């Protein structure tokens, strides 16, 4: 069960219209290492993970949807006042022709989201290592977007998201250790 509050997990502010920055952010919306892929990956993997850590996947998967909502708000705010010409100059002309001002799940290169981004092996430790890698890739991508941005207001929200990726990676590392300890414990019948 979810309880939804009609507010973002962390405030999203932008200083100015910037379609080019929005194009970069779309990577975290519908890219392989973005928030949608992470949310779906974790909420899918929870069905084959031991009970000791299933809550972790549920909690982080749900939080990833909150991050997806923040990215959507950022992209919207960065493009809402853009003219079609500005969108075209930012490399979003094809997107505008196909979707108008609507968001669409794709990466920064406009490759549509695909289920192949969602990894699930069914081996809890292998899946958790995949999750750690996904969080670290997302952290790196947020840092690179921050490096490309001169919007101090937006960068505050991006730093929040980057830090949450670090926390998630740490929590998944803890879960791996819990499962390794459980696996290696002698079992007496």
């Amino acid at each position: 069960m979810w309880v939804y509050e009609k507010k973002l997990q962390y405030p999203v502010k932008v200083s100015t219209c910037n379609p080019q920055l929005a194009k970069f952010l779309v990577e975290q919306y519908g890219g392989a290492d973005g928030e949608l892929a992470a949310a779906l990956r974790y909420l899918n993997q929870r069905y084959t993970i031991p009970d000791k850590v299933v809550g972790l996947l549920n909690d982080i998967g749900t939080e990833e949807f909150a991050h997806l909502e923040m990215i959507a708000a950022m992209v919207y705010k960065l493009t809402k006042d853009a003219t079609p010409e500005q969108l075209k100059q930012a490399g979003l002309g094809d997107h505008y022709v196909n979707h108008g001002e609507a968001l669409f799940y794709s990466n920064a290169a406009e490759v549509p989201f695909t289920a192949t981004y969602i990894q699930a092996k069914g081996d809890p430790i292998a899946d958790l290592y995949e999750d750690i890698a996904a969080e670290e890739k997302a952290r790196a991508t947020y840092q690179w977007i921050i490096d490309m941005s001169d919007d101090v207001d937006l960068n505050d929200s991006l730093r929040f998201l980057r830090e949450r990726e670090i926390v998630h990676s740490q929590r998944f590392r803890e879960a791996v250790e819990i499962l390794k300890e459980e696996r290696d414990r002698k079992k007496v019948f």
Side-chain angles (χ1 to χ4, degrees):
M1 171 186 273
W2 291 348
V3 176
Y4 178 71
E5 290 184 47
K6 294 185 178 189
K7 66 178 187 173
L8 295 174
Q9 183 183 12
Y10 189 86
V12 169
K13 297 177 185 167
V14 301
S15 300
T16 185
C17 175
N18 189 336
Q20 183 66 57
L21 191 51
K23 181 176 174 54
F24 300 148
L25 277 169
V26 167
E27 186 66 34
Q28 293 297 79
Y29 192 67
D33 304 317
E35 303 296 351
L36 178 63
L40 296 176
R41 177 184 302 114
Y42 307 151
L43 292 175
N44 182 60
Q45 289 174 352
R46 71 185 173 164
Y47 292 102
T48 55
I49 202 95
D51 288 343
K52 283 191 171 214
V53 296
V54 72
L56 177 66
L57 286 166
N58 193 61
D59 292 348
I60 294 176
T62 301
E63 184 177 346
E64 299 294 358
F65 279 125
H67 297 174
L68 185 68
E69 185 179 30
M70 288 176 64
I71 295 295
M74 291 175 194
V75 171
Y76 170 75
K77 289 179 178 191
L78 287 166
T79 59
K80 71 179 179 124
D81 296 324
T83 65
E85 185 58 35
Q86 288 173 309
L87 294 171
K88 185 177 173 183
Q89 288 173 353
L92 292 170
D94 293 341
H95 176 92
Y96 181 74
V97 167
N98 286 311
H99 309 288
E101 295 176 359
L103 290 168
F104 183 76
Y105 292 109
S106 65
N107 66 12
E110 297 186 28
V111 176
F113 181 84
T114 173
T116 59
Y117 296 160
I118 304 165
Q119 300 299 318
K121 193 67 176 169
D123 177 275
I125 293 174
D127 283 344
L128 287 169
Y129 277 121
E130 170 63 32
D131 300 343
I132 292 165
E135 293 295 327
E136 293 297 334
K137 290 184 276 186
R139 176 201 48 79
T141 302
Y142 278 122
Q143 183 58 55
W144 295 328
I145 294 170
I146 290 166
D147 293 346
M148 299 288 288
S149 170
D150 61 355
D151 188 323
V152 295
D153 291 328
L154 183 68
N155 286 351
D156 179 57
S157 299
L158 292 173
R159 279 191 292 277
F160 169 82
L161 291 169
R162 182 194 61 202
E163 295 306 312
R164 294 305 299 160
E165 304 300 342
I166 293 168
V167 170
H168 294 168
S169 177
Q170 291 169 338
R171 297 289 313 280
F172 285 137
R173 290 171 200 274
E174 292 165 6
V176 166
E177 294 308 313
I178 290 168
L179 294 183
K180 281 182 176 179
E181 189 177 296
E182 182 75 18
R183 177 193 66 189
D184 296 341
R185 185 178 307 158
K186 285 189 176 184
K187 297 186 170 120
V188 179
F189 298 97

